[in-house]
Amino acid sequence: MDTPGPFDSWLSDMDGVLVHEGVPVPGANKLIEKLQTAGKRFLVLTNNSIYTPRDLHVRLRNSGLTVPEASIYTSAMATADFLHSQRPSGSAYVIGEAGLTTALHEIDYVLTDYRPDYVVLGETRRYDFGAITTAVRLIKAGARFIATNPDATGPSLEGILPATGAVAAMISEATGADPYFVGKPNPLMMRNALRRIDAHSESTVMIGDRMDTDVLSGLEAGLETVLVLSGVTDTMDEVEKYPFRPNHVKDSVADLIDWIE
């Protein structure tokens, strides 16, 4: 049996790994329970910046999956960690939802449209042309351009929606300025996550369902990587298209439960 490790710390993507279309993936609850029982450090990661960890904890609980609030790390939180390290107590003009504005308030950032240090673009279901116009003008006036993640589309019950990456491209076209994307596949998010739980890359495994974000960022951060075929990348033919490979490919997280010691 393929049982590498043991791993002291575990990082896992959320959508497509632990939940799929709002329903827990079989084995997800058992995996979380066993990680807690074994005293393993773990974080559940998401590029979605809309929700706070508390929001996501409740949403997951309502779906039937119990993940502690303290074990959730979002691209909004990673963005706040990055900005705090770069320019403590700065200011930003924000396009996004509560997950992002809350994370920035928690690092004592001032949210303003008057000469902000940064324009920060996150996920929202209500992109406003006026707000985008303001962002363009502020960037042209010298504000630095940050985006929580590069995902071009996001899911909805009605089908795909334009997401942060698509809106960032529009702003870039208007300003000539490319954003710095903090979320996956930037390995910075992985390194921030490791620091948050005092973990080391040599003894940490990253579980994801996307080759282009989860596996790539884990690989570049020096982690052991596992691709599960329960989400976006769901066939080996898709895996073979990429010039890099995960360390392991499994059908779902149910196949990883025996790895926990």
Side-chain angles (χ1 to χ4, degrees):
M1 182 179 293
D2 180 16
T3 55
F7 299 111
D8 296 328
S9 310
W10 293 60
L11 303 179
S12 174
D13 188 41
M14 183 179 298
D15 295 314
V17 178
L18 299 178
V19 291
H20 183 65
E21 296 182 353
V23 178
V25 171
N29 261 319
K30 180 65 175 177
L31 182 82
I32 298 298
E33 290 170 5
K34 195 167 180 181
L35 286 171
Q36 291 175 301
T37 301
K40 301 295 184 181
R41 291 166 288 188
F42 72 95
L43 278 181
V44 175
L45 311 180
T46 177
N47 260 359
N48 190 320
S49 65
I50 291 177
Y51 304 107
T52 67
R54 180 174 298 178
D55 295 333
L56 290 169
H57 164 71
V58 173
R59 290 172 69 89
L60 289 170
R61 186 184 64 196
N62 291 342
S63 297
L65 184 65
T66 302
V67 178
E69 181 181 332
S71 297
I72 297 172
Y73 190 58
T74 71
S75 65
M77 298 165 70
T79 299
D81 286 342
F82 170 73
L83 293 179
H84 181 65
S85 72
Q86 294 289 304
R87 190 175 292 262
S89 302
S91 60
Y93 177 72
V94 176
I95 299 176
E97 302 277 353
L100 182 55
T101 56
T102 299
L104 293 181
H105 278 140
E106 288 178 349
I107 60 165
D108 296 323
Y109 254 56
V110 174
L111 307 188
T112 179
D113 61 0
Y114 177 70
R115 301 177 65 183
D117 298 315
Y118 298 96
V119 166
V120 182
L121 175 67
E123 202 77 35
T124 175
R125 294 292 185 259
R126 296 182 295 275
Y127 286 111
D128 177 79
F129 188 75
I132 292 171
T133 301
T134 298
V136 167
R137 292 172 179 168
L138 291 171
I139 292 168
K140 293 289 281 185
R144 303 153 187 86
F145 188 17
I146 302 290
T148 56
N149 65 285
D151 299 33
T153 62
S156 77
L157 295 177
E158 294 78 27
I160 64 169
L161 297 170
T164 306
V167 178
M170 179 168 60
I171 295 174
S172 292
E173 189 68 21
T175 61
D178 293 325
Y180 181 70
F181 291 108
V182 176
K184 298 175 294 178
N186 189 341
L188 175 70
M189 184 169 176
M190 295 296 166
R191 290 195 286 268
N192 284 346
L194 291 174
R195 282 194 292 270
R196 186 165 283 252
I197 57 174
D198 193 25
H200 300 283
S201 58
E202 296 84 358
S203 57
T204 302
V205 60
M206 170 64 196
I207 312 162
D209 72 309
R210 294 185 63 129
M211 288 290 291
D212 57 347
T213 56
D214 304 322
V215 171
L216 180 58
S217 56
L219 176 71
E220 293 185 348
L223 310 180
E224 190 96 354
T225 57
V226 179
L227 177 78
V228 290
L229 302 176
S230 54
V232 172
T233 306
D234 57 3
T235 68
M236 284 303 301
D237 287 341
E238 292 179 69
V239 175
E240 296 293 343
K241 295 177 183 177
Y242 290 86
F244 52 89
R245 293 291 302 270
N247 297 109
H248 313 274
V249 179
K250 298 293 183 181
D251 289 332
S252 77
V253 290
D255 299 317
L256 306 179
I257 294 170
D258 289 340
W259 287 15
I260 304 170
E261 298 181 4

